[in-house]
Structures are given as C-alpha cells and as structure tokens.
Amino acid sequence: MFQAVGIPMPVWRSLLGLILLIALLRALEVFQVEIDRRIEEMERANILTLERERIGRELHDRVLQQIYAAGLLVEAVREQCGWNPKVGPLLEEMLLALNRAIEDVRLYIATLHGMSQPGHLRALLEETARDPRFRSTLDVEVRLDIPDLLLEPEQAAHLAAILSEAFSNVLRHARARRVVLEAQVKDDRLRIGVRDDGVGTRPDHPVGMGLRSMRERARLLGGALRIESAPGQGTTVWLELPMAEKGRPPDEAPAPADRG
C-alpha cells in the first residue's frame, strides 16, 4: 500500500512518528494546563485561609477587646450610679447587648477557623457540648448514635455556626437549665437536635436574624432546619441532612427553601 502511492516506508514512519509526537505534545499541554489550574486553586485556597486567620486575629485582638472594655465601662457606671429606676434598666440593656455582641464575634471567629480545616462530626458535636460558655450555665447531655463522619471545611464551618447559634439562643431566651444534644442516622438522613427544657415559644413567634441565618446555612448544606416548640414545653431545633453514598453529608448544594 505504501509503495502503491509512491511514498517510501521510512517517510511513512516519519509521518506517523510526527503525528504521534504532535498528539503527545498536545496531551502534555492539556496536562500542564490542568496542573496550573490545580496549583492556582491551591494558592487561592491558601490565600483565603491566611486571610481568614488574619481576620480572626483582628476580631479577637481588637474588636473583642474593645467590646470587653465597653462592658467594663458600663459596669463601672452602674456601680457608681447605684440602682436608678431611670438609668439602671438602660445600663442592663446595654450590658445584654454587649454580651450578645461578644457571643456573635466569637461565633464569627469560630466560623472563620472552621472554614480553613476539615473535621469529624462526632468531635465537632462533643466540642460544642464542652464549650465553657454553655457548660457554665447549662446541664448539657450528649446522645450520639452516628458513625464517625468526615466533614469538609465548609460543612464543618456551617454546622459549627448552626450549633453555636442554637445554644446561644437557649442561653439568651429559653431560661432553660438542661439541654440535650443528640444525633442519629435514620432513613439515610442525618438528624441533629438541640433540645432544651425552657419556656418555649408560640408558633407565631417572630423569626429573628439568627434563625434565618441558621436556615440559610442548613440550605447550603443541602438540608433543612425545623423548630419544635410550645409555651412551657421547651424548644427543639432539628437539623436534617441527606446522607451521601459513602456515609458522609453531601457537598454543599442548593436545596428547596425551608417553609417552616
């Protein structure tokens, strides 16, 4: 065949070798582009991690300390003025607002820290239950019937923020003495609950920014947040997440908005 078209065999071999060489070079170019893309993603992730750590340090070393100082000043004014029916309640409200700001800043710091590293679900739940902010006031019981699931950094951050907000709400509003933190896997769904024995709320209770933020984070995790409460019967916050095939929460993906 090669001789029939008048082209010597060495020339055909050279042409085939050239074609293979061009194909190999093209494959190497594609491979190099993919390597460059991966390196760029790693560099971007490293920059984001360093920036989160910097913001966390700034919040802790500057903003949080300024709030502490403002709280000390308010307490000093309250001690000097004594109890005044006109000024006293205002000072108490100021102290409560400052304490809420401290809790919020701590939550932001914890969220920034959690975004930079993966974690294990069981360890995250147990760490939340051991938090001295909650242990000092509440009797916290932990009931875990789950495998040791690995969380991606973003998942760990969202879950830590949801749990911290749920416990903070118990401290602020529930007037509870006992909280049960539980987790279980049922019907291919991970269910995490924070149950208190506080005063409870009415079904028509207005939804605050904290609860809206928790529901948005649950949506980003691919799940939903549900509240069970009644006056005098305490409150339970349920977070339900679908399980992926390998026994871990799914990657972040949009999900239908919670109607609760």
Side-chain angles (χ1 to χ4, degrees):
M1 173 181 177
F2 299 118
Q3 296 176 349
V5 295
I7 301 177
M9 182 64 69
V11 176
W12 275 109
R13 289 175 178 172
S14 298
L15 290 174
L16 289 175
L18 180 61
I19 293 172
L20 290 175
L21 178 60
I22 293 173
L24 180 60
L25 291 175
R26 292 293 299 168
L28 288 176
E29 289 178 0
V30 173
F31 185 66
Q32 185 63 44
V33 170
E34 180 65 18
I35 290 178
D36 292 340
R37 186 182 67 82
R38 293 290 180 89
I39 292 175
E40 183 179 353
E41 289 180 352
M42 293 173 62
E43 291 177 345
R44 187 183 301 113
N46 186 53
I47 292 173
L48 288 175
T49 299
L50 293 175
E51 185 64 12
R52 287 173 182 141
E53 292 177 353
R54 183 191 67 79
I55 294 174
R57 287 194 301 270
E58 290 290 327
L59 287 173
H60 182 273
D61 296 339
R62 301 183 63 179
V63 178
L64 202 57
Q65 297 304 318
Q66 292 292 333
I67 298 175
Y68 279 134
L72 293 175
L73 289 174
V74 173
E75 289 182 351
V77 171
R78 183 177 60 177
E79 291 178 359
Q80 292 182 5
C81 294
W83 179 255
N84 185 305
K86 294 183 178 180
V87 179
L90 294 176
L91 294 177
E92 290 292 335
E93 288 294 328
M94 291 175 64
L95 286 174
L96 288 175
L98 290 172
N99 288 332
R100 285 194 293 266
I102 289 173
E103 291 180 6
D104 290 340
V105 172
R106 284 176 173 172
L107 175 60
Y108 298 149
I109 294 174
T111 302
L112 289 170
H113 178 70
M115 283 183 176
S116 63
Q117 59 185 1
H120 291 267
L121 176 60
R122 181 179 292 272
L124 190 152
L125 295 174
E126 292 175 345
E127 181 180 354
T128 300
R130 291 194 302 266
D131 193 317
R133 290 179 297 163
F134 313 133
R135 280 285 189 183
S136 61
T137 307
L138 300 168
D139 178 15
V140 182
E141 180 182 351
V142 181
R143 302 175 185 173
L144 304 181
D145 185 17
I146 55 173
D148 193 13
L149 304 175
L150 180 64
L151 302 172
E152 298 295 334
E154 297 281 338
Q155 293 174 331
H158 287 310
L159 184 54
I162 291 172
L163 291 172
S164 182
E165 182 66 27
F167 272 85
S168 296
N169 285 339
V170 174
L171 289 177
R172 295 174 186 171
H173 312 297
R175 298 204 294 272
R177 292 177 296 179
R178 186 168 178 268
V179 174
V180 177
L181 174 59
E182 57 185 285
Q184 58 180 307
V185 176
K186 184 177 181 180
D187 298 331
D188 295 327
R189 295 185 69 83
L190 171 64
R191 301 176 75 243
I192 302 173
V194 178
R195 180 187 308 162
D196 68 63
D197 63 350
V199 297
T201 59
R202 301 186 309 275
D204 59 348
H205 189 275
V207 177
M209 181 61 69
L211 183 56
R212 286 196 291 269
S213 176
M214 292 167 67
R215 283 178 170 163
E216 176 62 16
R217 289 181 183 276
R219 186 190 69 81
L220 291 174
L221 287 171
L225 196 79
R226 183 164 51 88
I227 308 296
E228 295 178 354
S229 185
Q233 299 182 21
T235 300
T236 302
V237 177
W238 287 109
L239 173 63
E240 295 189 358
L241 303 173
M243 298 292 294
E245 295 181 358
K246 295 185 179 181
R248 58 186 294 178
D251 293 334
E252 293 181 35
D258 179 38
R259 296 182 181 179

